[in-house]
Amino acid sequence: MKVDNHKFFKIDVSEVITSDNSEFNNVTFDNCEIGLSNDIDNLPHFKNVKFNNCSFVFCTFGPAIFEKVEFNNIKFEDYGIFWSPLFNKIKLKGKFTSFRLNSNGFMLDNKPKIQDKLDNIRAKFYEKVDWALDISEAKFSSFDYNGIPGKLFIRDSDTQFLITKKDFHSLELLDNSFKDNFSYLMMYLEDFIESNAEDIVIPVPLATPKKFREPILEGLRELRRLGFAKKD
């Protein structure tokens, strides 16, 4: 199935993805649900789908399983949030506006038993995945995530850096000069240290102006020089 130059409004996208090898080109999804389900035992499964030059306006993503799905040049009109997606061989290419991959399920803050079950499903899922997410050709305005092991990323090591708790376990490892010069990067590092995550991938936001992205790249290179970011 192939859809070009169309606008969907307030639909469940699973209703229009009727088969493998679906492709959406220059399509706008407005207030749509893409895998919105808290039926943890029966998560929606999207496979072999391509989204090219699409816009998502106030859409809700996940929890769902995404397998061999490509997102190319994607615009989120608001801040895009994927709620506990399970990724298997997902490719992001081109420019992306700001979005986040969240380990929590949609509106599960007050349902810890369901969230715990979802966490267990995710942990077992990623034990069987060769790689989860290829961001090596993506240019982000900003990218934030949790719940995906860093070793399951395919990345451009020149602009997308892997940091582990084994190598970097405390902010006290950094001097005041680093903290003052790289305040934006420090926000990511503070969140990482306070989290339960064992590692984090921090990409340089290549879709932002040079005056903004260059200090971030400089800070990440300094972390690598100090031995706190992996040398690939």
Side-chain angles (χ1 to χ4, degrees):
M1 183 194 73
K2 184 178 181 181
V3 179
D4 296 323
N5 305 306
H6 190 74
K7 181 175 181 177
F8 293 106
F9 181 67
K10 288 188 175 180
I11 66 162
D12 182 341
V13 176
S14 63
E15 296 175 1
V16 297
I17 300 179
T18 56
S19 64
D20 283 358
N21 301 310
S22 296
E23 184 174 332
F24 299 88
N25 300 304
N26 299 299
V27 172
T28 297
F29 298 88
D30 189 345
N31 282 269
C32 295
E33 298 176 359
I34 302 176
L36 177 62
S37 173
N38 281 329
D39 181 2
I40 305 304
D41 295 314
N42 190 31
L43 293 175
H45 191 159
F46 300 94
K47 185 177 181 181
N48 295 324
V49 184
K50 292 183 179 181
F51 297 94
N52 300 315
N53 302 300
C54 292
S55 295
F56 296 93
V57 183
F58 297 107
C59 293
T60 305
F61 304 82
I65 299 170
F66 297 85
E67 182 179 358
K68 296 181 180 178
V69 177
E70 290 188 16
F71 294 91
N72 304 314
N73 293 309
I74 300 300
K75 183 177 182 180
F76 299 98
E77 294 292 345
D78 59 334
Y79 188 75
I81 300 179
F82 285 70
W83 297 95
S84 197
L86 301 180
F87 282 170
N88 184 7
K89 296 182 173 62
I90 305 306
K91 292 187 177 182
L92 308 184
K93 298 170 66 175
K95 289 188 176 182
F96 289 77
T97 55
S98 301
F99 75 106
R100 173 180 174 79
L101 307 177
N102 200 336
S103 61
N104 289 342
F106 184 67
M107 297 183 69
L108 290 183
D109 293 343
N110 298 319
K111 299 178 180 179
K113 290 185 178 179
I114 297 178
Q115 182 62 52
D116 287 346
K117 185 174 182 178
L118 186 57
D119 290 341
N120 290 331
I121 291 173
R122 183 175 58 254
K124 292 178 181 179
F125 179 86
Y126 284 127
E127 287 177 356
K128 301 177 182 179
V129 169
D130 292 329
W131 59 271
L133 186 58
D134 182 348
I135 61 172
S136 62
E137 298 179 67
K139 297 181 178 180
F140 302 108
S141 293
S142 72
F143 173 73
D144 192 15
Y145 80 98
N146 54 38
I148 303 175
K151 66 181 180 180
L152 296 182
F153 280 75
I154 295 176
R155 55 195 173 81
D156 171 19
S157 61
D158 290 333
T159 60
Q160 299 164 343
F161 293 70
L162 175 63
I163 300 170
T164 70
K165 287 272 176 68
K166 180 180 178 181
D167 296 325
F168 182 76
H169 55 81
S170 172
L171 297 176
E172 298 305 314
L173 294 169
L174 302 172
D175 60 26
N176 289 332
S177 176
F178 184 98
K179 295 175 182 178
D180 292 339
N181 290 331
F182 306 112
S183 57
Y184 182 86
L185 184 55
M186 285 300 299
M187 292 189 295
Y188 277 90
L189 297 176
E190 288 171 5
D191 288 344
F192 171 54
I193 292 299
E194 293 173 359
S195 74
N196 294 323
E198 292 299 319
D199 52 38
I200 184 174
V201 173
I202 303 179
V204 178
L206 295 177
T208 62
K210 184 176 180 179
K211 65 179 181 180
F212 179 76
R213 68 176 185 262
E214 281 297 318
I216 298 172
L217 177 57
E218 182 182 350
L220 288 167
R221 285 174 173 170
E222 179 64 9
L223 286 176
R224 180 172 286 169
R225 187 188 70 81
L226 294 168
F228 301 144
K230 290 292 185 183
K231 295 181 180 180
D232 300 312

